[in-house]
Amino acid sequence: MKYANVDFDTYFRNYPDANGYFGKYGGSFIPPELQAAMDEITEAYMTICKSSKFINELRRIRKEFQGRPTPVSHLERLSASLGNVQLYAKREDLNHTGAHKLNHCMGEALLAKYMGKKKVIAETGAGQHGVALATAAAYFGLDCDIYMGAVDIKKQAPNVARMKILGARVVEVTDGLQTLKEAVDAAFAAYSREYKEAIYCIGSVVGPHPFPMMVRDFQSVVGIEARSQYLEMTGELPDAVVACVGGGSNAMGMFAGFLNDPVDIYGIEPLGRGPALGDHAASLSYGSEGIMHGFNSIMLKDENGDPAPVYSVASGLDYPSSGPEHAFLHDIGRVKYDVVSDEETIDAFFKLSRLEGIIPAIESAHAVAFAMKLAQQMKRGAILINLSGRGDKDMDYVIEKYGIPD
């Protein structure tokens, strides 16, 4: 299939290019000493990703440790409450550690072992990436440092406890807004000091090349599984596929299975409190081209052209940019990017819990909220949602801030 002169039959062979670009987005904008470390990671990854030994070991881990494949569930009662459109969910909340993040963390940690590294370093917002990497580090016997903003540490206390129980060192970041962007800053700074002994395991399809490609590749198992499972369940493809987008790892993993199909694809960003700068984190919807954290993409900027302050009820989505592949797919129109508000998200959080017995992560509830709106617009058909994580981590925060509806 061709879309805006992009041939999706050969898409994954051509994107990114050898320098890590998806069109004009991507690349690597980092100091020379770190570039040498990134080149080492690229060379190692491009070698082992073609190795049957590495591939088979990762498959074994996914089956025996992660519990893959995760199922696709028909959301019958939620669908009936909305009309005739049928909603389905890819249940990444049932992946070990409760979210999609372990898919790339086990791959990155396996790569670290191959490279002879002793430590993994990462940032986390909602804590799911931190928990997943702490899990992978424990599995492979690696040291693990997780950088996390002070605001997110307070919001995501259960995940902080899980990381510590797993043996990780959680480093509190108190700069700036004390959320995900500052955690990334701190993790990059630590990696620049420790790159000889450590590998920086980026938590999304962001950062300098090769991480947007590498994380997408590890996460593509989500879309590949979901496509096969949905076809087996229904005999056809869904009309639409929906996933939430912050940095965008769960979305790229899901979209990878459907880019070459005649399926509408939607990436859903957090509108937060509204469209004013500082009240949301919808970079693809409201941002412009810019460089941060070593890659060129679409980002939200302040009056000086620096990364703008952002907000979302979901700690995993409050990032002022998005992965370069998302920026590319946005520009060529293959993926439609839209927004939902905090209010719509929390409503979806409770509706999915009450009608289906599934408590979603607030991040994932953004995708559910949009799918609910889309279902009422479509009148007929089917929507497949990537339910990227479970909501255990969010319950205390939601109850404190919103209460429990009657």
Side-chain angles (χ1 to χ4, degrees), residues 67 92 203 389:
E92 288 301 289

Side-chain angles (χ1 to χ4, degrees), residues 295-375:
F295 69 104
N296 184 48
S297 188
I298 297 175
M299 61 182 275
L300 293 166
K301 302 175 185 176
D302 62 18
E303 63 276 6
N304 299 316
D306 296 321
V310 292
Y311 159 81
S312 171
V313 69
S315 296
L317 301 182
D318 58 356
Y319 187 65
S321 187
S322 190
E325 190 165 11
H326 283 294
F328 176 66
L329 294 171
H330 169 273
D331 279 11
I332 68 171
R334 176 62 190 98
V335 176
K336 303 169 187 176
Y337 292 88
D338 212 323
V339 296
V340 295
S341 67
D342 283 359
E343 183 179 355
E344 292 169 313
T345 297
I346 298 302
D347 176 64
F349 175 92
F350 283 112
K351 279 196 167 67
L352 187 65
S353 300
R354 296 285 174 87
L355 293 176
E356 297 293 343
I358 301 169
I359 302 174
I362 297 178
E363 292 78 12
S364 313
H366 282 74
V368 177
F370 180 81
M372 289 166 56
K373 290 200 297 184
L374 183 62

